[in-house]
Amino acid sequence: GLSGADEDIFVCYPSSLGTITACEYSTELYFDGSTWGLEIEDIHGINLISTGPVPTFTPSPTSIATTTPSPTNTPTPGPSLTPTLTPTITPTHDSVIFVGAGDISACTNDHDEETAQLIDNIPGYVYNLGDNVYPDGTLEEYNNCYDPTWGRFKDRTYPSAGNHEYQTPGAAGYFSYFGTDAGDPTEGYYSFDLGEWHIIVLNSNCGDVGGCDADDPQGQWLQADLAANPSTCTLAIMHHPLYSSNGGGYSRVQSFWEVLYQAGADLVLSGHQHNYERFALQDPNGLAAPGRGIREFVVGTGGYSLFPSNWPQILPNSEVRDSDTYGVLKLSLNPSSYDWEFVPVAGQTFTDSGSD
C-alpha cells in the first residue's frame, strides 16, 4: 500500500490498496492528501515506480532565498509492479495565503505579541515590511524582542529590511538573524514564487545598497528578474511607500514603480508610515489607472507604534485609511486574482477587505 513518512515522500503502488490511503488507482494515479491534512502547495509531485530501491526525491527550488530542506525519508519497497509508463503528476496551484505587516517589535510594549497572536491562527506564509525591531535592528534586539513574538513564524517568513535595520551598520543584526533567507547581505533584495505569483523583495534603503535607480545594480537586477519571470501576477515589497497620505511618500522608489508598472505588476506592499492605507490602481505618477495600475498597501501596523492622524492631505487615489488599529494584512494569492483582508488585533473593530 503506502510507504514513506510525514509529508516528504509518498510512494504509491496501485495494487492491494487498503480502504484508507492517500492513493487510489484506476486508469490514472489520483492523490488525495486530505488524510494527512496536506494542502496542494505541500505536494511537489508523485512518481509511479516499479519494485526496487526508491530514488531520492529532490524538489525544484522555487525561491532565490535559501531554505533548509526537510530530512529525506527512505520508504520500504512495496509489492511487485511493472507499469507501462512512469508518469509524474504535478498538481495545479491553489490559493496561497501571504500575511504580515511592518514596523513591528520593541521590548517596550506588547503590541507585537497582539499581532503575532493573529498570525498564530493564520496558515500560510508570512512577510515583514521592514523596521521589524526597534530602535536599531541589532541582533540582540532581534533575539530579545522580535524572536519571542514574530520569531515564532521565522521558518515561514520572507523578510525585508527597513531604515531601522540600517541603524546597525550593514544591517548586520537583520542579516545575522534571518541568514540567507534575507538574500545577499550586500544587497538585501531577492525574489521567489508562491503558487502562480512572483514575489520580489526590494531594498529601499538606497544609499546602503548602491542606489535604487534603473541603471543602478538593484534596478538592473529588478529588470532582469522581471524579464526572467513573466508571471501573470507579480507582487513587490519595499519598506518605503511611494504614496502615503500620512507623512508623505518617498520619491527614491519611483524608479522601482516605473519598472514594475512596465512589467504589469499588480501589488506593492510597504510600511514605514505607522498606519494602514489602501490605494486604488494607479501609475508611477499617481494617476488613476483602472485595470492597468498597481495597488499599493501601506501596512505599518505590526505593533511598534501608530501615527495618529486626521489625514489632512488625502492623496487622490487613497481609498481606505486607519491610524488607530494594530493588525496584519492577509492576502489570498489566487492563480489570476487576489483577495485582501486587514485583520485587527483583539478588541479592535476596523477592517478592510476586497478582491481584484
Side-chain angles (χ1 to χ4, degrees), residues 43-343:
I43 312 305
H44 298 280
I46 302 174
N47 292 324
L48 188 62
I49 65 173
S50 60
T51 301
V54 178
T56 301
F57 174 73
T58 304
S60 300
T62 58
S63 170
I64 290 177
T66 302
T67 57
T68 301
S70 302
T72 299
N73 298 294
T74 303
T76 303
S80 176
L81 174 68
T82 305
T84 58
L85 74 166
T86 306
T88 298
I89 301 174
T90 302
T92 57
H93 291 291
D94 209 341
S95 177
V96 177
I97 301 300
F98 201 31
V99 61
D103 307 277
I104 300 168
S105 293
C107 284
T108 56
N109 68 62
D110 296 325
H111 296 305
D112 58 334
E113 173 61 27
E114 295 173 1
T115 56
Q117 288 176 10
L118 299 175
I119 300 179
D120 281 334
N121 297 305
I122 300 175
Y125 301 93
V126 178
Y127 59 84
N128 58 46
L129 299 176
D131 287 1
N132 305 313
V133 66
Y134 288 76
D136 300 317
T138 66
L139 182 58
E140 181 180 11
E141 289 166 354
Y142 266 101
N143 288 332
N144 295 338
C145 310
Y146 180 94
D147 194 68
T149 57
W150 282 56
R152 299 201 291 265
F153 327 116
K154 185 179 178 182
D155 62 349
R156 57 182 176 122
T157 294
Y158 291 96
S160 65
N163 51 290
H164 279 267
E165 272 68 43
Y166 282 90
Q167 293 287 102
T168 297
Y174 166 79
F175 287 108
S176 294
Y177 181 76
F178 286 109
T180 55
D181 287 343
D184 186 328
T186 66
E187 299 171 347
Y189 46 87
Y190 61 97
S191 70
F192 58 97
D193 292 328
L194 286 181
E196 299 295 327
W197 283 70
H198 188 59
I199 315 296
I200 304 170
V201 176
L202 295 166
N203 193 336
S204 58
N205 300 282
C206 307
D208 295 288
V209 292
C212 296
D213 291 338
D215 57 353
D216 291 328
Q218 184 173 193
Q220 293 178 349
W221 173 88
L222 174 59
Q223 294 171 74
D225 182 79
L226 288 165
N229 296 279
S231 300
T232 301
C233 302
T234 301
L235 180 156
I237 289 172
M238 60 190 77
H239 177 66
H240 296 87
L242 180 57
Y243 296 105
S244 171
S245 300
N246 188 10
Y250 288 81
S251 61
R252 70 177 76 171
V253 298
Q254 177 141 9
S255 181
F256 288 160
W257 269 67
E258 290 169 352
V259 174
L260 292 164
Y261 182 77
Q262 289 300 318
D266 301 275
L267 291 174
V268 166
L269 305 181
S270 295
H272 194 66
Q273 307 297 8
H274 298 192
N275 55 258
Y276 174 81
E277 188 168 15
R278 169 168 59 86
F279 285 86
L281 302 181
Q282 57 187 337
D283 69 12
N285 297 311
L287 300 177
R292 172 68 177 85
I294 296 173
R295 186 184 301 280
E296 181 193 73
F297 290 90
V298 180
V299 196
T301 56
Y304 175 63
S305 69
L306 295 171
F307 293 163
S309 176
N310 59 0
W311 307 95
Q313 294 182 323
I314 297 174
L315 296 182
N317 298 307
S318 177
E319 294 184 318
V320 175
R321 300 159 299 281
D322 181 84
S323 59
D324 301 313
T325 309
Y326 294 106
V328 297
L329 180 66
K330 174 186 173 184
L331 297 172
S332 297
L333 303 178
N334 310 313
S336 59
S337 64
Y338 59 91
D339 310 311
W340 72 84
E341 179 187 5
F342 181 84
V343 183

